[in-house]
Amino acid sequence: MGMIIQGATGDWEVVIGLEVHAQVTSNAKLFSGAATKYGAEQNTQVSFVDAAMPGMLPVINEMAVEQAVRTGLGLKAKINKYSVFDRKNYFYADLPQGYQISQFLQPIVGEGILTIDLKDGESRDIGITRLHLEQDAGKSIHDQHPTMTLVDLNRSGVALMEIVSEPDMRSPEEAAAYVKKLRSIVRYLGTCDGNMDEGSMRADVNVSVRRPGDELGTRCEMKNINSIRFIQQSIIYEANRQVDILEAGGTIAQETRLYDSVKGETRTMRSKEEAHDYQYFPDPDLLPLQFDDAFVEKIKADLPELPDEKKARFVTELGLKPYDAGVLVSEKETADFFEAVAEGRDAKMSANWVTGELFGNLNRTSKSLSNSPVSAEELGALIDLIKDGTISNRIAKEVFEEMFDTGKSASDIVEEKGLKQVSDTGAIEAAIDDVIAANPDKLEEYRGGKDKLLGFFMGQVMKATGGKANPGVVNQLLKPKLDG
Ligand code: ADP
Ligand code: MG
């Protein structure tokens, strides 16, 4: 499973740990009531607190606390009923306070677990180190004025959850699976919208290499990567860069690097010596954050069924293959759609239709489930027509294409096009007789021992009936006639 790089001097194993920043879904910021809508006009969502006007005091947003606890529960993590907000001091134009309020030694959430789903239905547990709440900074805009940098404070003070993993991942695929799973969980929970292209989720990617089985090597950290593809590419580049250095007898310097997705390479931002000394200390404007068991229990009672549990249920109760179940639960919307189709119907058949024909057509037309031309009810009705013998599975695929392209119902299409399956033995027998009469040579070969020709006759009868003959009935009637 792990990524092994073969050097001239032997194998190297890749080790990855991720720090993901996830924007808390909330109408207000972490310590102010300002709005947080994505794409709002610059500097229109900034309170005096976010602009760090003198004398302004932060007030904790209870919703953000609830969301952090919810996420912690979703990661099966230890919830800390006592946590502390610290000031992380540094100077930057888009940080008007001169410090970021974060949690350092006592985060709101401790150790947890995230199960990643790998190809071929396998899964692996990745340790979660912690989750803490912190403020986002504003944004410096360097490309709108020839000599000046502009600052947009809309993001200043927005609540983020920083979710830190253990260095448990061993390949770019595992890192991708981790981010996908984390995104899936926060979306199920409704605690972060997971939209990486809008900056709602971004990752700091820590990479090191070592001889298999050795102690951890020195890591480099690549900041703020906001696409799963770039996370994977940056790991491949960075791991190979480190191996080249080590193979040449060099050592890795711990540093923060930048991933340039255009050039596909990483380069130094700052070395360990240049690392900030943040002078963390508890923020005197904020009391320690404390809540009781009842607060946690209330959130727990309200948790939705999460992807892992849903997958397990689909496998054990509905008999789906783990791989198919995994595909269906990855987005809650897909799981809900599938369940609406499968309600009172054959689950495996429903799963095949959703992951096969439906996904295939959505892909083909670059549509998503939310604007699918075929609703769950309509797909269910189509499956019912197969089950009750009105149409064959083959005809159903044609009907589905038409449903997808025109938005018509299955029964209307079957009616209009006269696609009803023929189970009437008289009509089928007549077709069989015609086919046999038209192929005397094939009949002779068959009777001479060439059993395989049964398939040929079967095909001819289906063709003669426009694919509408009930294959079961054809099967029953054909063989006795061929055998004479
Ligand atoms: P910092 O807070 O300075 O960034 P941490 O020790 O909290 O450092 O680690 C941050 C991240 O780096 C974690 O996700 C952790 O799993 C990862 N990490 C730590 N050591 C290594 C290593 N040797 N190789 C890869 N990742 C590592
Ligand atoms: Mg870090």
Side-chain angles (χ1 to χ4, degrees), residues 46 111 124 188 237 284 356:
V46 189
E111 287 181 8
R124 215 160 85 68
Y188 266 74
Y237 179 90

Side-chain angles (χ1 to χ4, degrees), residues 276-293:
H276 301 294
D277 180 356
Y278 294 116
Q279 302 276 347
Y280 281 100
F281 64 88
D283 191 314
D285 290 341
L286 288 157
L287 288 169
L289 180 59
Q290 276 181 283
F291 43 79
D292 55 14
D293 288 321

Side-chain angles (χ1 to χ4, degrees), residues 321-340:
K321 287 199 220 92
Y323 177 82
D324 292 336
V327 170
L328 289 168
V329 303
S330 68
E331 302 267 350
K332 183 167 182 297
E333 195 194 10
T334 311
D336 289 347
F337 189 100
F338 160 71
E339 289 209 89

Side-chain angles (χ1 to χ4, degrees), residues 373-393:
V374 178
S375 68
E377 290 66 36
E378 282 300 334
L379 178 53
L382 175 71
I383 293 172
D384 291 341
L385 293 179
I386 306 169
K387 270 282 160 181
D388 69 13
T390 306
I391 53 176
S392 68
N393 209 47

Side-chain angles (χ1 to χ4, degrees), residues 15-19 104 127 129-130 162-169 204-209 215-221 223 254 280:
V15 174
I16 305 149
L18 296 177
E19 298 161 273
F104 186 50
T129 314
R130 58 189 274 159
E162 176 168 337
I163 302 157
V164 182
S165 86
E166 291 291 302
D168 283 351
M169 286 157 274
D204 297 345
V205 181
N206 295 270
V207 174
S208 64
V209 298
E215 303 273 286
L216 289 179
T218 303
R219 73 191 153 102
C220 289
E221 175 178 9
K223 282 277 180 201
Q254 184 174 334
Y280 281 100

